[in-house]
Amino acid sequence: MLSIDADRLRRAFDTYSEIGATEAGGLHRLTLSEEDERARDRFRSDLEALGLDVRVDELGNMFARREGTDPDAEPVLIGSHLDSQPYGGRYDGQLGVLVALETLRAMEDADVETRRPVEIVNWTNEEGARFQHAMLGSAAWVGDTPVDEALAITDRDGVSVEEALEETGYDGDEPCEPHGVHAHVELHIEQGPKLESLGKSVGVVEGVYSMAWMEATVHGEADHAGPTPMHQRTDALTAATDAIDRVEAMPNDLSSDAVATVGRVSVDPDAINVIPSRAEFTVDVRSYDDAVVEEAVDRVQFELQTACDRVGAEHEFEKLWHIPHTEFDEGVVSVLDETASDLDIAHERMVSGAGHDAKYVSDVAPAAMVFVPSEDGKTHNEAEFTPWEDVVAGTRVYAEATRRLANES
Ligand SMILES: [Zn+2]
């Protein structure tokens, strides 16, 4: 068993948490910001202190490899992301990178030899907060998003990914494309309440939900809020809110794991005394069952149509994005499961409702994830918290499973 140094991990966690720390104990470290640059510099020097060469690709993804005994063997890839949400928490992303770093340090301490190399990664722009494409670095790496397209995305101030990479000095010259990977494991906080409610320290993640994003636009007629009688109106917002109401009640009819969210609403002309002529809203639906998500998409269209018919409004409907569920690799999943059992750590097989870099990596390599609990399921805010004993339990499983995977033939 590979033994980790929990105190050293704690020190690393505290040190990195100072870079972009907020007053309320959170983290504000948007991708390729000055804070992210400092975290990356620190990560680079920590890897160099282990005698490793750090490689940076065109998208700023950082890699470093601890060699194995077989020079031809493909590596085990470990890591996550160092960027955070605006005023986000200290655990999302950074914990997965630091646990991977601790895994390398523990291997070095114990002079562990593995057949395969172990390679660590920090993905660029997982959060999609500054540049709106979540999991950008890993999506580009697997070829899902063309590199040129990724580099051209701009933030609110018009700064492109390419310019931000140059500014921070993380415009690397390695091609952003997958090299052979034997297996990939990412540790992440659960971001939901399940592990805590079960009283378990570790989630062995078997897959990721199917998701669909939609946009609905209702066209009514603008009129004066005073003289226009109620029965003569074609109020776009009335139809929209009616549809939204039904969309939010819809998951109950579909499956116990289905969720539906209306996250954005806009109204035109957006004036206090004018009946809305146009209302637009987005819908995000998820379930592990692809058929449930497909049915949900149909249901959203049906509810929209029905609500518009009731007030005599027209509508448009667009499906913006739709991905089937991801099943992680059963081989990697069972190594995690067996390792947790061997270490006598309470664990549970589960699926993820949120997307992660490992989801993209699983397009090109066998992958799986380790979850640790999120107190009250809270995430993407400064109150994010994971009890330290669970972090340690998750790290022990992660480190030992990495060692086992790196010794596979
Ligand atoms: Zn994350």
Side-chain angles (χ1 to χ4, degrees):
M1 294 288 176
L2 179 59
S3 55
I4 59 135
D5 183 338
D7 293 335
R8 176 173 56 197
L9 176 61
R10 180 83 233 189
R11 285 195 300 277
F13 184 74
D14 291 343
T15 308
Y16 279 76
S17 295
E18 282 166 24
I19 311 173
T22 64
E23 268 174 38
L27 204 56
H28 184 78
R29 201 160 70 204
L30 300 186
T31 200
L32 302 174
S33 61
E34 191 252 316
E35 291 81 14
D36 187 34
E37 180 185 338
R38 271 162 48 214
R40 285 166 171 266
D41 290 350
R42 171 84 205 200
F43 183 53
R44 182 200 287 270
S45 66
D46 281 340
L47 293 171
E48 286 171 352
L50 283 169
L52 307 179
D53 281 332
V54 177
R55 290 143 34 221
V56 180
D57 75 14
E58 302 157 279
L59 247 281
N61 297 317
M62 300 170 71
F63 297 90
R65 176 180 287 210
R66 183 180 189 266
E67 292 299 340
T69 54
D70 180 350
D72 300 323
E74 291 181 336
V76 174
L77 185 67
I78 58 175
S80 190
H81 61 96
L82 285 173
D83 67 323
S84 86
Q85 284 286 330
Y87 297 91
R90 292 179 294 164
Y91 297 83
D92 178 356
Q94 139 168 308
L95 184 64
V97 174
L98 298 178
V99 162
L101 177 63
E102 175 54 33
T103 300
L104 292 179
R105 286 173 164 169
M107 286 181 165
E108 210 47 38
D109 269 4
D111 273 327
V112 169
E113 279 194 349
T114 53
R115 186 175 102 73
R116 298 174 172 281
V118 176
E119 189 160 308
I120 193 167
V121 60
N122 167 37
W123 298 111
T124 299
N125 191 37
E126 192 280 338
E127 298 293 1
R130 178 177 176 193
F131 299 104
Q132 302 218 332
H133 183 321
M135 299 165 272
L136 185 66
S138 53
W141 190 73
V142 303
D144 191 83
T145 303
V147 173
D148 292 352
E149 219 173 89
L151 290 171
I153 297 173
T154 53
D155 68 8
R156 246 177 245 171
D157 302 322
V159 179
S160 69
V161 171
E162 186 168 20
E163 286 161 346
L165 285 166
E166 279 164 19
E167 253 163 58
T168 53
Y170 281 90
D171 50 336
D173 42 24
E174 288 252 326
C176 179
E177 62 186 27
H179 42 270
V181 167
H182 171 69
H184 171 58
V185 195
E186 178 178 10
L187 179 141
H188 205 278
I189 52 168
E190 181 195 348
Q191 303 179 291
K194 189 169 176 188
L195 287 172
E196 184 182 52
S197 67
L198 294 169
K200 306 225 168 145
S201 296
V202 164
V204 173
V205 186
E206 299 176 302
V208 181
Y209 272 26
S210 167
M211 313 172 196
W213 286 359
M214 293 150 268
E215 191 171 67
T217 311
V218 181
H219 300 283
E221 207 179 324
D223 255 317
H224 198 294
T228 317
M230 296 309 283
H231 70 275
Q232 275 183 20
R233 299 177 176 208
T234 311
D235 185 332
L237 184 58
T238 302
T241 51
D242 186 10
I244 289 169
D245 230 21
R246 286 156 206 265
V247 164
E248 284 182 335
M250 168 184 77
N252 289 330
D253 303 339
L254 294 175
S255 86
S256 59
D257 79 338
V259 284
T261 306
V262 173
R264 211 169 60 209
V265 179
S266 70
V267 175
D268 274 341
D270 197 20
I272 194 164
N273 59 349
V274 183
I275 296 163
S277 57
R278 196 193 62 97
E280 195 177 282
F281 62 94
T282 57
V283 185
D284 170 318
V285 295
R286 306 180 187 212
S287 160
Y288 196 55
D289 188 337
D290 294 349
V292 166
V293 172
E294 273 160 37
E295 197 188 332
V297 172
D298 291 344
R299 279 281 295 273
V300 171
Q301 282 175 274
F302 171 79
E303 298 299 356
L304 179 66
Q305 174 80 57
T306 311
C308 286
D309 287 352
R310 271 192 283 268
V311 301
E314 301 289 318
H315 71 272
E316 286 160 57
F317 174 86
E318 198 187 346
K319 197 160 82 176
L320 303 172
W321 187 57
H322 189 173
I323 50 160
H325 79 288
T326 301
E327 255 168 68
F328 283 143
D329 182 77
E330 182 49 37
V332 182
V333 167
S334 20
V335 169
L336 292 170
D337 201 338
E338 281 160 27
T339 305
S341 297
D342 292 347
L343 288 168
D344 220 2
I345 289 169
H347 60 287
E348 182 78 13
R349 284 200 181 210
M350 60 191 299
V351 295
S352 173
H356 293 288
D357 290 311
K359 191 205 101 60
Y360 277 113
V361 178
S362 76
D363 286 353
V364 298
M369 295 183 73
V370 172
F371 273 174
V372 290
S374 297
E375 194 179 67
D376 296 330
K378 271 197 230 99
T379 189
H380 285 186
N381 75 48
E382 294 165 285
E384 206 172 75
F385 180 76
T386 300
W388 192 251
E389 57 271 26
D390 293 328
V391 170
V392 173
T395 308
R396 290 176 64 211
V397 173
Y398 189 82
E400 172 60 14
T402 299
R403 192 190 67 83
R404 292 181 185 188
L405 289 164
N407 280 327
E408 284 180 344
S409 51

